[in-house]
Amino acid sequence: MKTFADAPPPLMDAPTAAEDTTAATPRVRRGTGRRLHGAIAHKLGTAILAGEYLPGDILSGEVAFSEALDVSRSAYREAVQVLTAKGLVESRPKAGTRVLPRSRWNLLDPDVLAWAFAGEPDIAFVRGLFELRAIVEPAAAALAAERRERTDLKIMKDALAAMRRHTLATEAGRAADREFHDAVLTATRNDALIVLSASIGAAVSWTTQFKQRARALPRNPIPDHVLVYDAIAAGDATAASNAMRTLVDLALEDTKLAMRR
Amino acid sequence: MKTFADAPPPLMDAPTAAEDTTAATPRVRRGTGRRLHGAIAHKLGTAILAGEYLPGDILSGEVAFSEALDVSRSAYREAVQVLTAKGLVESRPKAGTRVLPRSRWNLLDPDVLAWAFAGEPDIAFVRGLFELRAIVEPAAAALAAERRERTDLKIMKDALAAMRRHTLATEAGRAADREFHDAVLTATRNDALIVLSASIGAAVSWTTQFKQRARALPRNPIPDHVLVYDAIAAGDATAASNAMRTLVDLALEDTKLAMRR
DNA sequence: TTTCGGCAATTACTCGGACTTAAACTTTGC
DNA sequence: GCAAAGTTTAAGTCCGAGTAATTGCCGAAA
């Protein structure tokens, strides 16, 4: 019967030794609405994506790490479960929690993408993402041209009008842009395609977002959007595909410009 | 809105043995190596994907549900964190844990795909998956043709030889098939593309897998594989794309046949 | 009547401690 | 030298108490 003969460490709450008048200062801060384990997962996720922990690295044990973060073991464990669910880490008894090889990561998971873009994203990875987008979006436009309903067209038309009113320089304009692309995706009636494209689109928009926001665009994107709309409305799949391709290329150019500075 | 507090779910997965005289019978069985929370997540995940819980439904509270499953709250919570990480559910204080709309699900997550194919997969979803595959794989082949290195070609060649030796009727043959496709993906040097295609490929192979295994194929697939290889080896992107397209179409036909029975 | 703001109840969230299980390491036996 | 058995360690599981936050009710003001 050894209850805790060897480990009667500093139970009770943190001594708050160095702290001053303010009460306990959690090592992990979270915005409102964000749960503690979510914040921890975010912290660890960004750290891993940033390369602070390399594949094969072993995280210090649950007790040690949760203590270092000043959170309970349960909260830390739940955070690790999230990372495990996304294929970033794997933990086994006696062996500890180790970072998995990059090939096991769910790189298309929205959260993982967000974590990747929280820091300086790997250029090669961004290039790959654009490549994927250039493959998927034109194909999506083609499908949309074949399957769109009247309501789809209406939503696109309205979004287009909103884009014209506000420009892409304003938040409202960018929202309308997203709405337009969402409408195109919805018109494909393909859930997998929708999810994929939405993730990539969001991630790609980070790249331009976190650089400076208002600047001269390479060229006015509205006409190109109209071309896409017209092709989809006409049910012309190949034309829609081509029009969307130029749109994607335009976005790529835009991002290239933004990342060059 | 249903709350399932009253519906002790039919425990699934094979019991492996008759549980009789043995004491306490956990409501959630897990195979070796599988953790308890993983098993719970699997159970809930498959249930949600199977439509037993509909979007908007609220799961009975932590205490009630964990009691019904005869597991601790911690284990149940960790499972829910996994589902949350995959976008299947969202839980907030006072509101409970509710199933999110399908549009929020990470349908391309390997686990989610596995859960989807654990039951009778939705035909429309499978169609969409094939559609996506038909978009991505030919494009991947084209990229591979442009970027392949000598080592890539060697791996493909070996896999091809293995496919010839064993046929697709044997497990070794199917493994070689997977190896070939993996090699094509690897040659694209695009991580996002690799992850995506691997997920879809695995999911698609479930469909043929869980139907009967050994049967006459629509036609011998080896020559088509050779065509893909030749095009990639020659660096001919469009030829590679076309060859791969016929390969995907072939697989689609195969699956259609398998699902018809 | 409608709307706003405060209140209470419910639910998830967090905590910390004990105990169990499983796998990596070590030792022992052949 | 190898294989089986034991040891150790860290993750896994469980419990129960206490905290925090949102929702939805309810009453007051417009």
Side-chain angles (χ1 to χ4, degrees):
Chain A
M1 58 166 82
K2 57 140 194 136
T3 32
F4 46 91
D6 48 327
L11 330 156
M12 314 310 291
D13 54 282
T16 45
E19 315 308 353
D20 44 342
T21 55
T22 62
T25 302
R27 303 254 208 303
V28 180
R29 255 282 154 256
R30 60 186 202 265
T32 60
R34 200 104 150 275
R35 306 294 184 257
L36 182 53
H37 54 258
I40 301 172
H42 183 271
K43 184 184 176 66
L44 290 178
T46 51
I48 292 176
L49 267 291
E52 290 174 39
Y53 301 91
L54 269 49
D57 281 3
I58 294 184
L59 277 53
S60 22
E62 285 184 348
V63 273
F65 215 139
S66 58
E67 236 163 63
L69 263 58
D70 202 42
V71 299
S72 79
R73 221 175 124 225
S74 331
Y76 173 75
R77 274 186 58 79
E78 287 180 9
V80 169
Q81 296 305 328
V82 172
L83 298 185
T84 303
K86 296 177 186 305
L88 295 184
V89 303
E90 183 180 58
S91 50
R92 299 156 58 177
K94 171 75 181 179
T97 301
R98 77 174 55 231
V99 179
L100 289 174
R102 209 179 138 86
S103 59
R104 299 271 305 269
W105 298 358
N106 297 172
L107 286 175
L108 297 172
D109 181 287
D111 290 322
V112 175
L113 281 173
W115 295 338
F117 283 91
E120 284 296 320
D122 181 17
I123 300 292
F125 180 56
V126 175
R127 185 181 55 72
L129 233 37
F130 264 102
E131 214 163 71
L132 190 50
R133 195 191 193 194
I135 293 168
V136 171
E137 295 256 352
L143 287 180
E146 292 169 356
R147 312 225 249 259
R148 84 285 183 287
E149 303 284 335
R150 213 184 324 280
T151 55
D152 297 318
L153 291 176
K154 171 160 175 44
I155 296 176
M156 293 183 208
K157 200 168 189 174
D158 292 348
L160 224 45
M163 280 180 67
R164 248 190 286 264
R165 266 200 311 282
H166 329 89
T167 64
L168 280 190
T170 73
E171 177 48 39
R174 285 191 291 271
D177 183 35
R178 282 194 297 272
E179 212 171 316
F180 178 81
H181 285 274
D182 274 353
V184 173
L185 287 175
T186 305
T188 65
R189 305 284 182 270
N190 184 328
D191 284 344
L193 189 54
I194 292 172
V195 171
L196 170 64
S197 226
S199 292
I200 299 176
V204 158
S205 83
W206 297 166
T207 60
T208 59
Q209 200 76 12
F210 85 101
K211 298 285 174 183
Q212 80 296 342
R213 34 202 64 216
R215 80 183 169 295
L217 282 157
R219 81 192 221 216
N220 182 9
I222 305 277
D224 295 293
H225 277 78
V226 173
L227 282 181
V228 173
Y229 171 79
D230 287 341
I232 291 178
D236 187 339
T238 61
S241 175
N242 289 332
M244 182 60 90
R245 182 182 305 282
T246 71
L247 212 52
V248 173
D249 287 344
L250 189 65
L252 173 58
E253 203 119 336
D254 182 24
T255 308
K256 267 186 187 165
L257 237 73
M259 299 192 72
R260 198 180 311 282
R261 327 192 169 203
Chain B
M1 169 211 302
K2 42 182 178 169
T3 56
F4 286 89
D6 49 329
L11 37 111
M12 34 197 333
D13 64 35
T16 328
E19 38 235 306
D20 38 12
T21 58
T22 60
T25 303
R27 301 251 211 305
V28 180
R29 256 278 155 261
R30 60 186 200 266
T32 59
R34 200 110 148 271
R35 306 293 180 252
L36 181 53
H37 54 258
I40 300 172
H42 182 271
K43 184 185 174 65
L44 290 178
T46 50
I48 292 176
L49 266 292
E52 290 175 39
Y53 302 91
L54 269 48
D57 281 3
I58 294 184
L59 276 55
S60 23
E62 287 183 350
V63 273
F65 214 143
S66 58
E67 237 161 63
L69 263 59
D70 202 42
V71 299
S72 78
R73 264 182 76 217
S74 331
Y76 173 75
R77 275 186 57 78
E78 287 180 10
V80 169
Q81 295 306 327
V82 172
L83 298 185
T84 303
K86 296 178 186 306
L88 296 184
V89 303
E90 183 181 59
S91 50
R92 300 153 61 172
K94 170 74 180 180
T97 301
R98 77 174 52 229
V99 179
L100 289 174
R102 207 180 140 87
S103 59
R104 301 269 307 266
W105 298 359
N106 297 172
L107 286 176
L108 297 172
D109 181 288
D111 291 321
V112 175
L113 281 173
W115 295 338
F117 284 91
E120 284 295 320
D122 180 19
I123 300 292
F125 180 57
V126 175
R127 186 181 54 72
L129 232 39
F130 265 102
E131 213 164 69
L132 190 51
R133 194 189 194 196
I135 292 168
V136 171
E137 294 256 354
L143 287 179
E146 292 168 357
R147 313 226 249 258
R148 84 285 184 286
E149 302 284 335
R150 211 184 327 280
T151 56
D152 297 319
L153 291 176
K154 172 162 174 40
I155 296 175
M156 293 182 209
K157 199 168 188 172
D158 291 349
L160 224 46
M163 280 180 68
R164 247 190 287 261
R165 266 201 312 282
H166 329 90
T167 64
L168 280 190
T170 73
E171 176 48 39
R174 283 192 292 271
D177 183 34
R178 281 195 297 274
E179 211 170 317
F180 178 80
H181 285 273
D182 273 353
V184 173
L185 287 174
T186 305
T188 65
R189 305 285 183 270
N190 184 330
D191 283 344
L193 190 55
I194 292 171
V195 170
L196 170 65
S197 225
S199 292
I200 299 176
V204 159
S205 85
W206 297 168
T207 60
T208 61
Q209 199 76 14
F210 87 102
K211 299 284 174 183
Q212 81 295 343
R213 34 202 63 215
R215 81 183 167 293
L217 282 158
R219 80 191 220 221
N220 182 8
I222 305 277
D224 295 293
H225 278 78
V226 174
L227 282 181
V228 172
Y229 171 79
D230 287 341
I232 292 178
D236 187 339
T238 59
S241 175
N242 289 332
M244 182 60 91
R245 179 182 310 281
T246 70
L247 212 52
V248 174
D249 287 343
L250 189 65
L252 173 59
E253 203 118 338
D254 181 23
T255 308
K256 267 186 186 162
L257 238 72
M259 298 191 74
R260 195 180 314 281
R261 329 193 167 204

